[in-house]
Amino acid sequence: MASVQKFRKQFIDHSLPRREQFTIVTGIELLGVIIMKKATFHLLASIALVKAAAPVPAFADDVNFGDDSGRFSKDGECDDMRFDGPGMTDTLLIDSDILHDATDCRAAFNQGRLKYLGGHRHGTPVSDNSGASHIQWGDDSSKYSKDGECDDKRFVGAGMTTTPLLDSDIQHDATDCRAAYNAGRLTLRP
């Protein structure tokens, strides 16, 4: 039994000669080596899986914080509904504050008190179907295209025009609608 303990100690502290690492002295010693190698393998595999599954945080350089033209900017609370966390205001979030509370949101984000929702709104579920990749944007053939307002009646939100919506504009104001959607100012109608 003393030789097994000596063998294991030498194996652990890497003092076991290489040729003896593969020498089978007894079945128990070989089993000890297999168990150690298997445990090491499982540990490394577990670490690799955890690392691969960990979310990749957004960095401040990857987020467009906008400007400070919002009514509630520089009050120490983020009012931009594209964020979530303890750095958010407790008051009602409004569309006009999107991209207009940069100083407060950037500070809370850099302190780890906010997470960026990637253009989605605070309080709305984020699912695979909510991304822009599944939307048929169409073209810019509407006479109202590229005016900074979405005229496609499939959408709702602050990025919409205030003029009456026409069926003929469906899928014909792609640039305006895509920009407002990506900024979190539009959603698809249910």
Side-chain angles (χ1 to χ4, degrees):
M1 199 64 164
S3 65
V4 171
Q5 290 173 348
K6 179 181 172 190
F7 179 78
R8 285 186 177 156
K9 181 183 180 314
Q10 288 177 331
F11 181 81
I12 290 170
D13 64 9
H14 303 288
S15 64
L16 186 67
R18 188 155 185 81
R19 68 177 184 276
E20 289 185 27
Q21 289 178 7
F22 301 103
T23 304
I24 301 173
V25 178
T26 67
I28 295 172
E29 291 173 7
L30 179 61
L31 182 61
V33 172
I34 292 172
I35 290 171
M36 282 187 256
K37 286 185 179 179
K38 191 181 241 184
T40 303
F41 172 78
H42 284 252
L43 176 65
L44 294 174
S46 297
I47 291 169
L49 284 173
V50 168
K51 182 145 175 81
V56 178
F59 295 101
D61 293 341
D62 299 334
V63 177
N64 178 6
F65 290 96
D67 56 40
D68 284 318
S69 64
R71 187 169 147 205
F72 304 105
S73 66
K74 298 183 180 180
D75 63 354
E77 299 175 320
C78 179
D79 296 283
D80 187 331
M81 66 177 65
R82 298 174 306 137
F83 297 89
D84 187 28
M88 292 297 293
T89 182
D90 291 332
T91 60
L92 180 67
L93 298 174
I94 55 177
D95 287 340
S96 62
D97 285 329
I98 295 173
L99 290 166
H100 299 300
D101 195 11
T103 299
D104 294 334
C105 298
R106 180 181 286 113
F109 182 86
N110 288 338
Q111 294 167 357
R113 297 185 309 121
L114 286 181
K115 67 179 179 181
Y116 178 60
L117 300 176
H120 300 284
R121 293 168 183 243
H122 171 81
T124 59
V126 177
S127 68
D128 291 338
N129 292 335
S130 64
S133 63
H134 73 286
I135 297 173
Q136 297 294 319
W137 295 106
D139 55 39
D140 287 316
S141 62
S142 167
K143 68 180 182 176
Y144 304 108
S145 67
K146 297 184 180 179
D147 63 356
E149 299 176 321
C150 179
D151 296 282
D152 187 331
K153 64 194 282 182
R154 297 177 299 156
F155 298 92
V156 294
M160 292 298 293
T161 184
T162 56
T163 61
L165 299 172
L166 307 172
D167 288 340
S168 60
D169 288 327
I170 295 173
Q171 291 191 9
H172 299 297
D173 194 11
T175 299
D176 293 334
C177 298
R178 182 183 289 122
Y181 185 91
N182 288 338
R185 300 184 69 228
L186 288 182
T187 58
L188 280 170
R189 286 185 188 275

